């Protein structure tokens, strides 16, 4: 029962308040083991970034995921069915000379290691092509590590693969959040260029058409927080 006060509001009958106070049931307590799970759930709800991280698909390409260790990458089989001569080689390996994996001066200063799967015949290394899908193959597939973690995956593909690759990225990450149209100078004159970017809490994916030598498109996965000096040129 409530009693109207002089201000037009309502206050509880003192007797009713006393009865309710004496009839309150003990609170139900969560098991101790559920506390971490509850804390994680509350963090995701309270933090938009935490919810985004939980909902975003991981940034992966052909089995490799951004953030994985160098040892884990070396233990992976190369993508596709390749010859027994294909090896995982990194710029930090003692026999990496002639592999074409030397980091840029800026990357070397940042402590970057560049890796790839190459065919090795004696002291000679040769690039390999890898399946992108049933119709197209990738070239110049590179993995960039910093602090023993994979921070970038990049490769090239034929320009004809643009539409199917764009559709695949859209299906996985949603519509591109950024679209840049510009022009690039070539020996044959200026060519139009388009770059689409998909962003997640883990990083971003860039699809650029074309990239030098301007008969290919570029695909690049980059981890969040990667310093510009550590990564590759965005559209090179």
């Amino acid at each position: 029962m409530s009693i109207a006060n002089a201000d037009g509001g309502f206050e509880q009958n003192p007797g009713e308040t006393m009865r309710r106070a004496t009839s309150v049931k003990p609170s139900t307590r969560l098991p101790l083991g559920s506390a971490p799970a509850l804390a994680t759930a509350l963090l995701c709800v309270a933090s938009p970034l935490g919810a985004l991280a939980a909902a975003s698909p991981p940034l992966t390409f052909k089995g490799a995921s951004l953030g994985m260790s160098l040892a884990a990458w070396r233990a992976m089989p190369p993508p596709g069915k390749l010859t027994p001569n294909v090896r995982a080689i990194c710029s930090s390996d003692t026999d990496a000379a002639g592999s074409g994996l030397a980091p840029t001066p800026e990357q070397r200063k940042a402590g970057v290691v560049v890796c790839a799967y190459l065919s090795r015949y004696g002291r000679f290394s040769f690039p390999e092509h890898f399946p992108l899908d049933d119709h197209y193959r990738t070239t110049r597939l590179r993995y960039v590590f910093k602090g023993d973690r994979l921070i970038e995956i990049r490769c090239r593909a034929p320009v004809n693969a643009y539409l199917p690759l764009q559709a695949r990225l859209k299906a996985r990450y949603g519509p591109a959040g950024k679209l840049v149209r510009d022009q690039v100078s070539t020996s044959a004159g200026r060519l139009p260029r388009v770059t689409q970017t998909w962003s997640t809490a883990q990083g971003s994916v860039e699809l650029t058409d074309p990239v030098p030598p301007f008969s290919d498109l570029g695909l690049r996965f980059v981890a969040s927080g990667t310093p510009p000096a550590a990564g590759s040129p965005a559209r090179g």
Side-chain angles (χ1 to χ4, degrees), residues 84-104:
N85 295 316
V86 175
R87 290 179 46 199
I89 300 177
C90 295
S91 58
S92 57
D93 296 347
T94 56
D95 59 348
S99 64
L101 299 178
T104 65

Side-chain angles (χ1 to χ4, degrees), residues 32-119:
L32 184 60
S34 65
L38 177 61
T40 303
L42 290 175
L43 180 60
C44 287
V45 172
S47 169
L49 185 59
L52 180 61
S56 299
L59 294 178
T60 64
F61 184 72
K62 299 299 179 183
S65 300
L66 293 184
M68 72 187 306
S69 68
L70 179 55
W73 176 80
R74 285 186 184 273
M76 286 176 48
K81 296 180 179 179
L82 305 171
T83 68
N85 295 316
V86 175
R87 290 179 46 199
I89 300 177
C90 295
S91 58
S92 57
D93 296 347
T94 56
D95 59 348
S99 64
L101 299 178
T104 65
E106 293 80 9
Q107 289 177 327
R108 188 177 293 108
K109 186 176 180 180
V112 161
V113 174
V114 181
C115 301
Y117 296 109
L118 303 176
S119 289

Side-chain angles (χ1 to χ4, degrees), residues 52-68 153 168-169 172-173 198-205 221-223:
L52 180 61
S56 299
L59 294 178
T60 64
F61 184 72
K62 299 299 179 183
S65 300
L66 293 184
M68 72 187 306
I153 306 169
R168 186 182 308 175
L169 293 172
R172 183 168 179 80
Y173 302 109
W198 289 261
S199 297
T200 74
Q202 190 183 6
S204 62
V205 187
F221 296 76
V222 188

